[in-house]
Amino acid sequence: MRAAVVTGLGSWLPPRVVTNDELTARLDTTDEWIRSRIGVVTRHVVAPGTATSDLSVEAARRALRSAGVPGAGGVVLATTTPDRPCPASAPEIASRLGLVDVPAFDIAAVCTGFVYGLGVGAGLITAGTADSLLVIGGDAYSTILDPRDRTTSVIFGDGAGAVVLRAGSPDEPGALGPFDLGSDGARSDLITVRAGGSRQRSSRDAVPPPGDEFFRMEGREVFANAVARMAEASRNAVKRRGWAVSEVDRVIAHQANVRILDAVSAELDVPREKFVSNIADVGNTSAASIPLALAHGVRTGELRAGQKVLLTAFGGGLTWGATTLVWPELSLAE
């Protein structure tokens, strides 16, 4: 049987760093509130003219170098902030990487996007459609945030992370386990950008109401759903792998905010120290969150070869998902 095996990892953050002090100078909030409620101290944001594809290309180049390969057989990009509504950004990313005549497409599952992307990539590889793939999570959320909204401006940052998947066997390190994926479209308005799509554009008034062009989130309801769904998906993915939750060595959960991480830890009865977290330094980077946390874990030594690893995420849609792997021996290409 074929399996999709993680063989390379790369990440990229835009150089500009925005501190809490910079935000509190223009928003009705405090550094203490941001740290205690969200867990963010700094976040990276793109410079004018920089787009999601730019971040993604840099992360992908590092992933390819990490894997020691010149290219891949396709590109799957998970993002909420494509360079433009049409066409998808993945084909341009593939072209800039020198990948010719390969399949390339975007996935829109918000903060669950990278896990969905891994699932799609694994499906293509196990079906024999591709022998290798780049799966990228990239977002430039600063481009869709209302700078006057303290509830979202303090949370999010920009960045990209990528992995190289190759065909291998299910019993080797890096092989992705069974996935648990789900959605609940009845609650799509909890996390949304209302303007810009066909529903708004097909209305009589083509000009959106003020503020509808920005990202909005219903924090309290999102919190409850995120904890329940990530915990449920995690249990299912671990069970399908044949593990017990207590056997998991490291949890790489979507870095939504520190209180959600604490709550998922309690819900799963997994010690908080098993959760790799970089939210203090980068904020919530949406689809880039998990691969950036993976890279952070490798750099800090928290993530080591042979460890049983759980990946879990929750995002708009609503969407959620989880999968597992035994972490392989790999190094980062900085």
Side-chain angles (χ1 to χ4, degrees), residues 21-294:
D21 288 340
E22 183 175 337
L23 293 177
T24 58
R26 60 179 175 82
L27 294 170
D28 181 21
T29 189
T30 65
D31 173 66
E32 190 279 330
W33 188 91
I34 299 170
R35 288 174 185 253
S36 63
R37 302 284 292 181
I38 311 299
V40 181
V41 179
T42 60
R43 71 284 291 151
H44 293 249
V45 301
V46 295
T50 301
T52 294
S53 66
D54 301 316
L55 304 177
S56 299
V57 166
E58 292 299 327
R61 284 173 176 158
R62 285 160 175 75
L64 291 169
R65 290 205 298 269
S66 169
V69 295
V75 175
V76 178
L77 171 67
T79 187
T80 306
T81 59
D83 289 11
R84 51 199 173 203
C86 175
S89 298
E92 181 181 340
I93 292 168
S95 177
R96 290 170 62 181
L97 293 170
L99 307 180
V100 180
D101 296 336
V102 301
F105 56 93
D106 293 1
I107 288 179
V110 197
C111 299
T112 318
F114 185 74
V115 175
Y116 266 50
L118 290 178
V120 170
L124 291 172
I125 286 174
T126 57
T129 305
D131 291 325
S132 65
L133 285 170
L134 269 164
V135 178
I136 307 168
D139 269 309
Y141 254 57
S142 64
T143 63
I144 61 172
L145 296 178
D146 183 347
R148 302 160 298 179
D149 181 7
R150 73 168 188 167
T151 63
T152 56
S153 289
V154 301
I155 299 174
F156 292 91
D158 304 336
V163 296
V164 178
L165 301 181
R166 63 162 174 82
S169 63
D171 57 351
E172 66 177 295
L176 294 170
F179 285 78
D180 187 82
L181 305 173
S183 71
D184 180 5
R187 300 184 178 186
S188 59
D189 280 349
L190 294 184
I191 300 172
T192 187
V193 177
R194 292 187 173 88
S198 61
R199 184 167 300 282
Q200 176 264 314
R201 292 187 179 192
S202 68
S203 66
R204 288 186 178 182
D205 184 3
V207 178
D212 274 12
E213 72 273 25
F214 295 122
F215 176 89
R216 300 296 183 197
M217 181 172 63
E218 299 296 331
R220 290 186 179 181
E221 291 186 70
V222 167
F223 184 101
N225 279 275
V227 174
R229 294 303 194 178
M230 279 201 285
E232 178 187 24
S234 295
R235 292 190 191 97
N236 291 339
V238 168
K239 182 178 181 180
R240 291 173 185 175
R241 184 77 183 222
W243 300 347
V245 173
S246 59
E247 294 180 67
V248 172
D249 298 305
R250 287 288 179 265
V251 180
I252 313 294
H254 166 53
Q255 307 289 293
N257 71 47
V258 70
R259 294 184 303 130
I260 287 179
L261 295 177
D262 291 342
V264 173
S265 169
E267 182 71 19
L268 291 174
D269 195 23
V270 172
R272 186 65 168 80
E273 55 266 26
K274 288 189 176 184
F275 282 64
V276 174
S277 181
N278 63 342
I279 192 170
D281 302 321
V282 302
N284 180 336
T285 53
S286 192
S289 176
I290 285 181
L292 286 175
L294 288 171

Side-chain angles (χ1 to χ4, degrees), residues 3-19:
V5 179
V6 174
T7 187
L9 171 65
S11 65
W12 179 251
L13 293 164
R16 188 189 169 206
V17 176
V18 174
T19 65

